[in-house]
Amino acid sequence: MPDCNNIVRAMFFISLFGYARVLENGLVRTPPMGWMSWGYYMCGADCEQNPDKCLDEKLILSVADTFYNEGYQEAGFEYIIIDDCWSEHHRDRDGRLVPDSLRFPNGMKYISDYIHSRNLKFGMYTNVADVTCMRYQGSKGHFKVDADTFAQWGVDYIKVDGCFVGEQYLNNAYIHFGGYLNKTNRPMVYSCSWPYYIEFIHNKKPDYPTISKHCNLWRNYHDVVTSWSAVKNIIQHYEDEYSGLEKYHGPGHWNDPDMLIFGTDSLTEAQSKIHISVYAMLSAPLLLSCDMTRVKGYEKNLLLNLDLMAIARDPLGIMARPYRIDYITLWVKPRMPRKGDIYPSYSLALVNVSGQKRTITVRPSNYGLNCTDGYSVMDIFSKRFLKNITFEDSIDVTVPSEGKFGRSVDCDFKLFVGARKNKG
Ligand code: GLA
């Protein structure tokens, strides 16, 4: 007979097992959230010709102000990351990286101090080759001095790309660079693009046990671009590759499906709901990349929906499991038990990309929700309590096409007793 205790034991096993593999910097116990320049600003170096896409000090400080003033920080958005194209094309006399003097006239420590004064965190970018993907200064031959420089600048997060080098080099370089980061004694989140290059450029299988030991997060699929089909492909990839990827995912070590494309006029409201909800269900990093003044009202409501962000930042950090039911994908994510409770909660998301409205019947016990005390069901978007169910009940769900139906299901003994009494 299935009961709640079996589930609880399984969940604690998962979380303990995950802990042992974590990189020893203690960072990102929940997936990192923030903003990164590349998706929207790309190189952003030609500020005269293209002032609206200029990657400079003013932009970075303005993102910090928006996070601080407009509720993003409270929702969990924290890291502000400068991607490629921030440096001069030469190093200084001591071999150190030099920020572009026109776009970053006060240097990186100034930016980092400003960001820290807002209680936010600062991220930067480099590549393990001698140049970056956009052919700015890379870190090959300078791992120690670059790690030290980032630490001196007060960097909290470093994205390390892997363009232009061979498989063997990648496998060694990420481990070595990580070693130098550790030796700085400044905890820096280590974001590696390592498995992406191994799999898609060198056509080999990434060694995830090793990668997850050395990196806090890792890109493993193509760059997102500002289109719904790019987002759909990424979600499909995570659905197809679930069983290969979920094992290595958890507190301190995350699969990274790349940035959110909110604020870029690329998605309808329904598509935006799917984009953010599936990423929250995956416990994926949530990194915006846009002009923050162009975030639409409905996008902001989603980003600042604390119930949704609680799904994204659930302390167990489990990657939701996908089940295909006809044309619908049901994502199921075990959640930390609610305060004062010992039984796990679950979040369920149903995504329909069939082009037609569909109705399906979901029997929670078929998907691991087999707590004999039953569940109370709540709709995340309307914030309404829906009903109490026993674990044997079924729920009929109508899912609009490319619409998203998000529910958080809590196992709560007391609620279930109340419901049973009512049934008489
Ligand atoms: C690669 C990465 C992107 C971005 C660019 C910068 O394509 O995958 O996320 O960092 O390089 O050049």
Side-chain angles (χ1 to χ4, degrees):
M1 176 72 171
D3 66 17
C4 306
N5 289 324
N6 285 339
I7 306 173
V8 174
R9 273 197 294 275
M11 304 253 311
F12 285 150
F13 174 69
I14 288 163
S15 90
L16 286 174
F17 192 57
Y19 186 76
R21 277 200 309 260
V22 169
L23 184 75
E24 283 168 32
N25 61 15
L27 299 173
V28 284
R29 308 298 301 165
T30 58
M33 291 170 61
W35 179 100
M36 186 153 68
S37 56
W38 181 259
Y40 179 74
Y41 290 89
M42 311 216 84
C43 211
D46 192 354
C47 296
E48 228 165 83
Q49 288 297 313
N50 211 346
D52 291 343
K53 290 224 173 173
C54 173
L55 171 60
D56 65 359
E57 176 186 290
K58 195 165 129 250
L59 170 69
I60 302 303
L61 302 193
S62 78
V63 176
D65 290 342
T66 306
F67 276 13
Y68 186 75
N69 293 323
E70 295 189 22
Y72 289 93
Q73 189 171 29
E74 282 80 17
F77 290 89
E78 174 176 37
Y79 291 93
I80 298 176
I81 304 154
I82 301 177
D83 205 291
D84 204 351
C85 310
W86 57 267
S87 74
E88 292 284 357
H89 286 282
H90 60 268
R91 289 176 174 261
D92 71 9
R93 264 183 301 181
D94 299 320
R96 283 181 304 225
L97 290 161
V98 182
D100 182 289
S101 62
L102 289 178
R103 290 180 293 128
F104 299 100
N106 297 302
M108 291 303 172
K109 183 70 170 64
Y110 173 81
I111 293 185
S112 136
D113 287 347
Y114 188 91
I115 288 176
H116 292 146
S117 75
R118 295 261 186 251
N119 228 352
L120 295 162
K121 295 192 172 139
F122 178 44
M124 291 195 71
Y125 166 99
T126 187
N127 188 24
V128 288
D130 49 6
V131 288
T132 69
C133 299
M134 293 305 290
R135 301 193 178 277
Y136 284 71
Q137 281 292 309
S139 288
K140 187 171 180 184
H142 303 273
F143 286 179
K144 179 171 167 21
V145 67
D146 288 358
D148 289 345
T149 305
F150 291 131
Q152 280 151 16
W153 287 345
V155 168
D156 305 294
Y157 178 121
I158 181 82
K159 170 175 173 180
V160 180
D161 221 329
C163 291
F164 311 133
V165 289
E167 182 205 346
Q168 216 34 56
Y169 178 82
L170 284 168
N171 287 335
N172 292 323
Y174 276 100
I175 295 173
H176 281 123
F177 195 79
Y180 286 115
L181 290 176
N182 283 340
K183 283 193 195 132
T184 67
N185 284 329
R186 180 174 179 86
M188 285 183 258
V189 176
Y190 188 25
S191 162
C192 306
S193 301
W194 181 2
Y196 168 74
Y197 288 94
I198 294 291
E199 184 164 355
F200 291 97
I201 304 297
H202 304 293
N203 301 315
K204 295 272 167 50
K205 227 169 122 26
D207 175 2
Y208 279 114
T210 303
I211 292 167
S212 59
K213 224 182 272 165
H214 293 279
C215 302
N216 290 116
L217 65 154
W218 48 85
R219 285 280 310 282
N220 47 20
Y221 198 56
H222 301 292
D223 285 6
V224 69
V225 294
T226 49
S227 76
W228 171 232
S229 59
V231 171
K232 262 209 297 200
N233 281 342
I234 291 172
I235 291 175
Q236 188 63 53
H237 178 73
Y238 272 78
E239 186 175 333
D240 296 343
E241 301 299 320
Y242 166 81
S243 31
L245 297 177
E246 60 81 28
K247 300 198 250 315
Y248 306 103
H249 185 96
H253 47 106
W254 311 100
N255 292 294
D256 175 8
D258 210 4
M259 292 159 272
L260 297 167
I261 61 167
F262 276 35
T264 62
D265 253 331
S266 318
L267 305 178
T268 65
E269 184 168 357
Q271 291 164 349
S272 307
K273 268 189 180 177
I274 297 177
H275 186 21
I276 185 98
S277 306
V278 174
Y279 280 37
M281 294 292 287
L282 289 171
S283 303
L286 298 182
L287 298 172
L288 294 159
S289 188
C290 60
D291 173 347
M292 291 303 294
T293 63
R294 292 182 56 205
V295 173
K296 294 199 168 85
Y298 64 78
E299 292 175 320
K300 193 167 176 182
N301 288 341
L302 290 167
L303 296 169
L304 304 189
N305 179 328
L306 298 185
D307 291 322
L308 188 55
M309 291 306 123
I311 295 176
R313 307 172 75 201
D314 184 82
L316 293 180
I318 293 173
M319 191 171 137
R321 178 174 184 159
Y323 296 90
R324 192 40 97 107
I325 313 167
D326 297 330
Y327 295 92
I328 288 177
T329 306
L330 166 66
W331 295 88
V332 179
K333 175 171 178 168
R335 302 268 312 273
M336 190 75 160
R338 289 192 306 189
K339 215 172 172 193
D341 202 345
I342 56 165
Y343 304 130
S345 297
Y346 286 84
S347 292
L348 271 58
L350 290 111
V351 179
N352 175 8
V353 286
S354 71
Q356 279 173 36
K357 183 163 110 175
R358 307 261 168 192
T359 300
I360 59 163
T361 301
V362 177
R363 190 180 156 97
S365 59
N366 290 347
Y367 305 101
L369 282 75
N370 47 15
C371 168
T372 45
D373 297 329
Y375 297 89
S376 76
V377 183
M378 189 192 128
D379 185 319
I380 283 295
F381 293 121
S382 71
K383 296 186 186 297
R384 270 188 319 121
F385 163 76
L386 292 177
K387 58 175 168 176
N388 292 322
I389 55 167
T390 74
F391 82 100
E392 288 166 312
D393 283 344
S394 295
I395 321 173
D396 286 331
V397 190
T398 300
V399 195
S401 169
E402 301 208 344
K404 155 79 183 50
F405 182 91
R407 288 182 165 191
S408 176
V409 183
D410 291 317
C411 176
D412 188 312
F413 178 75
K414 284 186 210 98
L415 272 172
F416 175 69
V417 169
R420 199 154 55 156
K421 271 188 191 149
N422 288 346
K423 275 188 198 160

